Amino acid sequence: MLAFVSGASRGIGAACAEELAGNGFDIVINYRSSDAEASEVAAKVEALGRKAYLKRFDISDAAAAEKACAEVLSKCGPVDVLVNNAGISISGLVQDMSSDQWDALLSVNLKGMFDLCKGFVPSMVSRKKGCIINISSMWGQTGASFESVYSASKGGVDAFTKALAKELGPSGIRVNAVSPGCILTDMCACYSEQDLKALAEETALGRNGTPQDIANAVVFLASDKASFITGQILGVNGGMVI
């Protein structure tokens, strides 16, 4: 079995790649610039007895994504699980956000996901087999002050997930999203220890999440145990959003 994970050189993507490898998947590790970190993830995948393929390209570049998808299918074989994880975050008041920032956020968070789906879905449809898991955000469900554009991009991920599940269900392909809460990754580097403590206190479980929490949910949705689950947005947020 083969899984493609975008943004897999660190954080949630790296955890997903390693957990999927531990559950029998060879992994295509997509990343944009972090060669050393991507190689470390590949080494961990191979240490688990699985094959690792490094695929460096920017998913916001439609032509690069199309070329990369074709190369993966040709050289690595059909993709059984596509994890659309790569994403960026830009915070600020809406009146301070530029059109370029809007375009950057949607190009990665929304269009990049679309381009990867477009690249891999035809082969899934022809095989009547496949699973797509999109990494969204709780802010796509509730919206966040100072993150209106980011929230819009993730709300689009949720809507796309539900619509694509209806479109691909007749072909036996499941499409779901995992919607993280506050997860301790580089995206949280802008928060102070006091801020992170306050965020933890807002959750029902009294803690912030880890990349492994998201990876566990991804592996579940990729497994046969989730064979009757599609079109769902699985919240993994410690009870911050209920």
Side-chain angles (χ1 to χ4, degrees):
M1 296 184 293
L2 181 67
F4 181 105
V5 184
S6 69
S9 64
R10 56 184 179 169
I12 289 172
C16 288
E18 293 165 30
E19 190 66 21
L20 284 163
N23 281 268
F25 286 89
D26 296 329
I27 310 293
V28 180
I29 299 164
N30 160 252
Y31 65 105
R32 184 177 63 180
S33 58
S34 304
D35 290 313
E37 290 176 312
S39 295
E40 288 179 11
V41 175
K44 291 177 181 178
V45 167
E46 291 171 348
L48 291 166
R50 308 310 308 179
K51 295 178 181 177
Y53 307 94
L54 294 173
K55 204 65 185 171
R56 178 177 178 171
F57 67 95
D58 185 344
I59 67 164
S60 68
D61 182 334
E66 181 180 7
K67 179 182 178 182
C69 290
E71 289 176 350
V72 167
L73 293 170
S74 174
K75 297 178 182 179
C76 308
V79 171
D80 298 288
V81 174
L82 168 60
V83 181
N84 285 306
N85 163 74
I88 61 173
S89 175
I90 304 173
S91 301
L93 293 169
V94 67
Q95 63 264 35
D96 296 330
M97 297 290 286
S98 68
S99 293
D100 287 343
Q101 288 174 315
W102 170 277
D103 289 343
L105 274 163
L106 268 70
S107 289
V108 176
N109 296 357
L110 197 54
K111 191 178 75 67
M113 173 193 63
F114 160 75
D115 286 332
L116 291 179
C117 286
K118 188 176 179 182
F120 290 125
V121 159
S123 65
M124 290 183 175
V125 170
S126 67
R127 297 169 66 225
K128 304 291 183 185
K129 180 183 178 182
C131 175
I132 299 170
I133 302 166
N134 301 318
I135 305 301
S136 181
S137 167
M138 64 181 176
W139 301 139
Q141 298 172 272
T142 67
S145 179
F146 298 100
E147 294 195 72
S148 57
V149 181
Y150 177 79
S151 298
S153 72
K154 292 302 187 176
V157 171
D158 290 351
F160 182 81
T161 296
K162 294 175 183 180
L164 194 61
K166 294 179 179 179
E167 185 175 322
L168 298 182
S171 297
I173 300 161
R174 297 184 298 107
V175 187
N176 293 289
V178 174
S179 181
C182 182
I183 306 298
L184 298 175
T185 66
D186 289 348
M187 262 192 195
C188 288
C190 60
Y191 296 119
S192 67
E193 186 175 340
Q194 185 176 359
D195 289 336
L196 291 172
K197 182 179 179 182
L199 286 166
E201 289 172 352
E202 288 185 42
T203 70
L205 294 179
R207 70 171 178 89
N208 293 314
T210 67
Q212 189 63 46
D213 290 319
I214 307 305
N216 291 340
V218 166
V219 168
F220 166 68
L221 288 174
S223 74
D224 290 340
K225 293 179 181 179
S227 63
F228 199 54
I229 300 176
T230 196
Q232 303 305 305
I233 313 300
L234 177 58
V236 183
N237 57 55
M240 183 178 285
V241 176
I242 295 177

Coordinates of all heavy atoms in Angstrom, one line a residue, residues 44 50 94 107 119 130 181 189 213:
K44 N 13.2 7.4 9.1 CA 12.3 6.8 10.1 C 11.3 5.8 9.4 O 11.0 4.8 10.0 CB 11.6 7.9 10.9 CG 12.5 8.7 11.8 CD 11.7 9.8 12.5 CE 12.6 10.6 13.4 NZ 11.9 11.7 14.1
R50 N 9.5 0.1 5.7 CA 8.7 0.6 4.5 C 9.6 1.4 3.6 O 10.6 1.9 4.0 CB 7.5 1.4 5.0 CG 6.6 0.7 6.0 CD 6.2 -0.7 5.7 NE 5.6 -0.9 4.4 CZ 5.2 -2.0 3.9 NH1 5.4 -3.1 4.6 NH2 4.7 -2.1 2.7
V94 N -8.6 41.7 9.2 CA -8.9 41.6 7.8 C -8.5 42.9 7.0 O -8.1 42.8 5.8 CB -10.4 41.3 7.6 CG1 -11.3 42.5 8.1 CG2 -10.8 40.9 6.2
S107 N -3.9 29.5 -2.1 CA -3.2 28.7 -3.0 C -2.6 27.4 -2.4 O -2.6 26.4 -3.0 CB -2.0 29.6 -3.6 OG -2.5 30.5 -4.5
G119 N -4.9 15.3 -9.4 CA -3.8 14.5 -9.9 C -4.0 13.0 -9.6 O -3.6 12.1 -10.4
G130 N -9.6 3.8 -3.0 CA -8.8 4.9 -2.5 C -9.4 5.6 -1.3 O -10.6 5.5 -1.0
G181 N -7.4 21.0 16.7 CA -7.5 22.1 17.5 C -6.1 22.7 17.6 O -5.3 22.8 16.7
A189 N 4.5 28.5 17.2 CA 5.8 29.2 17.7 C 5.5 30.7 18.0 O 6.3 31.2 18.8 CB 6.8 29.1 16.6
D213 N -1.5 13.0 18.0 CA -3.0 12.9 18.1 C -3.6 13.0 16.8 O -4.6 12.3 16.5 CB -3.5 14.1 19.0 CG -3.1 14.0 20.4 OD1 -3.1 12.9 21.0 OD2 -2.7 15.0 21.0

